[in-house]
């Protein structure tokens, strides 16, 4: 019998990455009565690592409750959350174009971290992993930033950019996990699945 998991994420990139490693999955998405964005609110003085791990576990708890309410067949549930950190400053999803421009202006010419936490609920067990990558942007002028923001690509993206978009032309170097920067670190995800008894 083919094994499969639930993916509690609306990100098409996470779906693509699971397809890349041959993991069959079904979506387990929040209903209209759930305020998924509220889970991503940053607490005062919260460090980026603590934030991304807390949000991922909160999403996992919500997904487990959703599965139970819906009476769906049991299967492991995978959740992930990605944040961008400039020092201790957490750069989440921009609220509008102005905030996207401000975030990208802050990142231009500097190194930042991309943290992606991943969690897998396998029955009563919860397995966790964390990927931390460093990305350095070249200096970028305001006109180029505005043109990128005008494409709409930054909206819904932590740090107001996607590594697989046109913003890749600003990346001088990466140290870490490319898939983690995309939103699902495949090394850590595969390790969690193997720990849960999967053969990949």
């Amino acid at each position: 019998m083919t094994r499969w998991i639930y993916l509690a994420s609306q990100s098409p990139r996470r779906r693509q990455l699971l397809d890349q490693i041959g993991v069959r999955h079904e979506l387990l998405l929040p209903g209209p009565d759930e305020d998924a964005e509220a889970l991503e609110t940053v607490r005062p003085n919260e460090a980026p690592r603590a934030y991304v791990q807390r949000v991922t576990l909160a999403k996992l708890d919500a997904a487990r409750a959703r599965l139970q309410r819906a009476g769906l067949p049991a299967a492991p549930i995978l959740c992930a959350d990605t944040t961008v950190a400039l020092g201790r400053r957490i750069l989440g999803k921009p609220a509008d174009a102005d905030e996207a421009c401000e975030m990208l202006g802050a990142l231009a010419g500097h190194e930042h971290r991309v943290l992606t936490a991943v969690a897998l609920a396998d029955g009563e067990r919860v397995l966790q992993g964390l990927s931390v990558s460093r990305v350095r942007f070249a200096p970028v002028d305001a006109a180029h930033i505005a043109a990128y923001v005008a494409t709409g690509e930054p909206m819904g993206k932590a740090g107001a950019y996607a590594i697989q978009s046109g913003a890749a032309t600003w990346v001088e170097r990466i140290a870490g996990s490319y898939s983690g920067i995309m939103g699902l670190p495949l090394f850590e995800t595969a390790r969690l699945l193997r720990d849960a008894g999967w053969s990949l």
Side-chain angles (χ1 to χ4, degrees), residues 25 48 56 65 78 87-88 92 94 96 98 113 119 124-126 132 139 148 154 159 178 187 196-197:
H25 57 279
T56 300
L78 182 70
R88 283 185 58 88
D96 53 32
D98 286 344
R113 287 173 295 146
E124 293 302 311
R125 286 197 304 168
V126 174
V132 181
Y148 176 65
Y178 187 84
F187 178 81

Side-chain angles (χ1 to χ4, degrees), residues 72-132:
L72 295 170
I77 303 171
L78 182 70
C79 282
D81 189 69
T82 301
T83 197
V84 169
L86 188 60
R88 283 185 58 88
R89 181 186 173 192
I90 295 170
L91 302 180
K93 300 169 184 173
D96 53 32
D98 286 344
E99 187 175 21
C101 287
E102 188 279 325
M103 286 184 182
L104 292 169
L107 295 176
H110 298 98
E111 181 179 273
H112 61 273
R113 287 173 295 146
V114 180
L115 301 92
T116 298
V118 60
L120 180 74
D122 180 36
E124 293 302 311
R125 286 197 304 168
V126 174
L127 306 171
Q128 300 178 65
L130 177 68
S131 167
V132 181

Side-chain angles (χ1 to χ4, degrees), residues 27-192:
L27 294 180
L28 182 62
L29 301 179
D33 58 329
E34 294 183 63
D35 186 3
E37 294 299 318
L39 298 177
E40 298 181 2
T41 302
V42 180
R43 294 175 178 171
N45 301 313
E46 191 168 28
R49 182 183 296 257
Y51 165 79
V52 76
Q53 292 176 314
R54 176 183 62 79
V55 171
T56 300
L57 289 177
K59 289 181 176 181
L60 186 63
D61 287 343
R64 295 172 91 174
R66 191 180 311 138
L67 181 70
Q68 189 172 31
R69 284 196 308 271
L72 295 170
I77 303 171
L78 182 70
C79 282
D81 189 69
T82 301
T83 197
V84 169
L86 188 60
R88 283 185 58 88
R89 181 186 173 192
I90 295 170
L91 302 180
K93 300 169 184 173
D96 53 32
D98 286 344
E99 187 175 21
C101 287
E102 188 279 325
M103 286 184 182
L104 292 169
L107 295 176
H110 298 98
E111 181 179 273
H112 61 273
R113 287 173 295 146
V114 180
L115 301 92
T116 298
V118 60
L120 180 74
D122 180 36
E124 293 302 311
R125 286 197 304 168
V126 174
L127 306 171
Q128 300 178 65
L130 177 68
S131 167
V132 181
S133 300
R134 295 187 177 273
V135 181
R136 182 173 181 84
F137 274 8
V140 186
D141 63 37
H144 282 93
I145 289 173
Y148 176 65
V149 171
T151 68
E153 178 65 42
M155 308 315 295
K157 310 290 193 309
Y161 79 95
I163 193 69
Q164 72 279 11
S165 72
T169 62
W170 304 338
V171 176
E172 287 187 344
R173 66 176 174 271
I174 291 171
S177 166
Y178 187 84
S179 60
I181 298 168
M182 283 182 69
L184 188 69
L186 291 182
F187 178 81
E188 287 80 2
T189 300
R191 184 171 59 194
L192 297 189

